[in-house]
Amino acid sequence: MRRCPSCNALLLENTTYCGNCGLKQELIDEKICIKCNNSIPVDSKFCPHCGTAATIKAESKENIHIDTTESIEPTTRQQVNSEKISTSNQTPIITYELDPYILSAIDNFKFSFTKKYAEFNGRASRGEYCRYILIETLIFVLMLAISLFISYISKKPEYVLWGVFLHSIVFFLPTLAISTRRAHDLNNPGWTSLILFIPYINILYTFYLLLKKGDIAPNNYGFPTSFEIITPKISEEKDIKLSQTSDSPIKFTSTIVVLIGIIIAAFVSIDSNNSHTNASKNKVTPTTSTSTQNPKGNVTQVPQATQTSVTTEKDYIEQSTKALKSYYDKLNQKNFSGAYALLSEQHRANVGYYDKWKNGYNTTLNIKLASIKVLSSNPNQVIYEYQLHARDLINGKIKNQIFTGNVTMTKENATWVIKDQDGKLISSYFE
C-alpha cells in the first residue's frame, strides 16, 4: 500500500488514479510495508525492517508502456472518469489526520471521544475499538466505585443508580458511533450495531467486535485505520505519544481487576452491615413472655401465644412502624409508663431513669410524627429517617419546634422497641 503525494490518501499498489483527489500516480519500482511504512525491494517477500509478509506486488516502470497519442485520448479520459467515480463511491476519503496511526490507549480514547464523538462514517480497527472499550470500562468501574462509596457513607443506595445513569448518558453516542465504525471495518452495515441493545445477544456481538480482524484493504466504508506505527519523528510532529506498547493492556487490565475487587469488598461490607435474614416459612414461635415495669416498680408478665406465621419484609416494617407511632401516641396521651416500655434497655440507659425521662416532657403539649422514611431493614431491625413537630408551653407562650434525625427500631422478644434515636433542631418559632 502507498499514499497519494497530493492528498496523502491511502492507496493500493495497483491504483492508477487517486480516488480522493484524482491525481495520476507515478509507477514505482519498490513496495511499502503496510506495518512499519518502510521501503521493501520488489523481489523481497518479507519486510527487512519488521518481518511482515509483503503480499501485494508493486508495479514496475519497465513493464508498463504509456501511450499518450491523441487517437486514444477520449477513451482514456472516459476510463479515468469511470475509475474515479467508482473508487470514490466505494472508498470514501480519510477525514481525520490521525486515522492511520496506532495511537496509545489514552490518545486513542481522547481522539474517539472528542473528534469522533458522534462520527458514524468511516471505519475503526480492532485495536482502536479495543483500546476505547478498555478505557471506557475503566472509567465506568471508577464511577461505580465512587458511587458505591458515597452510597455507603450517606446510606442512600440511589447514588449508585445516578452514577450508572450519568455514565450511560455521557458515553452513549461515542460508544454507539465507534461500534458502528467497527462494523464498517468488518464490511458490515452500520445498523448491525443495534444488536448491542438486545440482551444476552449483545454480549456475543461485543466479543465479535473485539476479536474479529477487519479488512486490511479499503472496503465499501473507507480506508483502514490504526495501521501505522508512530515513530519518534511522527510523535514530535503530531504531538502524540508513541504507539501502544505491549505491556499497556496488562497495566490497564490489572487496574480494572483491582477496582472490581474494591467494589466487591464494598458490596460485602454493605451486606454485612445491613444483612437481610429471610424468615423461613411456617416458622413456629415458642410461647414467651415480656416484662413491663410501671412507675411503682411492679413487674407485670404478659404471656404470648404460640403462633405460626410467615414474616415478610412488608410485615415487619409495618409492625415496627406501628410500634414507633404508638410510642408518640402514648406520649400525647400522657401514658408515660406505656411509652417508656417501648424503649430498649440500651436506650433507657441513654435517656436516664424513668422519672428523669418523664420530666423532660413536662412542658410538652403534643408531638406529631410528621414523616418517616425507611433507610434499611431486616426482620430484626429497621432504621428510619424521621421529622418531628413538637409544641411546648413555655412562659405562657406556645413554642413550635421541628426536629429531624434517625431512629432505630429493634425486635426484642417478639416486640418492637426503640433501640437508638438521634435528632437535631432544624426550626423553631412562637405562635
Side-chain angles (χ1 to χ4, degrees), residues 347-385:
H347 197 44
R348 290 179 186 178
N350 293 334
V351 299
Y353 293 108
Y354 174 81
D355 291 333
K356 179 182 178 181
W357 168 82
K358 178 182 176 182
N359 292 334
Y361 293 96
N362 286 339
T363 61
T364 302
L365 298 177
N366 58 67
I367 303 175
K368 180 182 179 183
L369 195 60
S371 65
I372 54 174
K373 177 183 177 183
V374 177
L375 297 180
S376 65
S377 64
N378 63 58
N380 296 313
Q381 180 175 286
V382 180
I383 300 176
Y384 297 91
E385 182 183 51

Side-chain angles (χ1 to χ4, degrees), residues 62-103:
E62 292 78 12
N63 296 332
I64 303 297
H65 175 69
I66 302 175
D67 190 355
T68 58
T69 59
E70 293 293 332
S71 59
I72 62 172
E73 183 177 358
T75 305
T76 304
R77 287 180 179 176
Q78 184 177 0
Q79 291 176 350
V80 171
N81 292 336
S82 175
E83 180 183 353
K84 185 175 178 181
I85 293 172
S86 175
T87 306
S88 177
N89 289 336
Q90 293 184 2
T91 56
I93 63 174
I94 296 178
T95 309
Y96 299 92
E97 183 183 10
L98 297 181
D99 271 345
Y101 301 112
I102 303 176
L103 302 175

Side-chain angles (χ1 to χ4, degrees), residues 236-291:
E236 184 178 354
E237 291 177 353
K238 305 292 184 181
D239 192 24
I240 51 179
K241 295 180 181 179
L242 296 177
S243 295
Q244 181 93 7
T245 57
S246 58
D247 63 335
S248 295
I250 298 176
K251 292 179 180 178
F252 282 110
T253 304
S254 302
T255 305
I256 290 176
V257 169
V258 171
L259 289 173
I260 290 176
I262 294 174
I263 291 175
I264 294 175
F267 270 121
V268 172
S269 177
I270 293 174
D271 186 65
S272 62
N273 289 335
N274 302 315
S275 58
H276 296 272
T277 307
N278 296 323
S280 58
K281 292 185 177 182
N282 300 323
K283 181 178 179 181
V284 179
T285 304
T287 303
T288 58
S289 61
T290 57
S291 300

Side-chain angles (χ1 to χ4, degrees), residues 299-358:
V299 178
T300 304
Q301 297 291 335
V302 182
Q304 295 182 348
T306 302
Q307 59 180 358
T308 302
S309 64
V310 178
T311 304
T312 64
E313 182 178 10
K314 182 179 179 181
D315 290 338
Y316 61 72
I317 289 179
E318 286 181 353
Q319 293 169 8
S320 63
T321 303
K322 183 178 179 180
L324 180 61
K325 291 180 178 180
S326 175
Y327 171 77
Y328 288 105
D329 289 340
K330 292 182 184 300
L331 289 179
N332 289 327
Q333 296 166 6
K334 307 302 180 182
N335 182 6
F336 295 109
S337 60
Y340 195 73
L342 293 176
L343 302 180
S344 67
E345 293 294 336
Q346 175 183 334
H347 197 44
R348 290 179 186 178
N350 293 334
V351 299
Y353 293 108
Y354 174 81
D355 291 333
K356 179 182 178 181
W357 168 82
K358 178 182 176 182

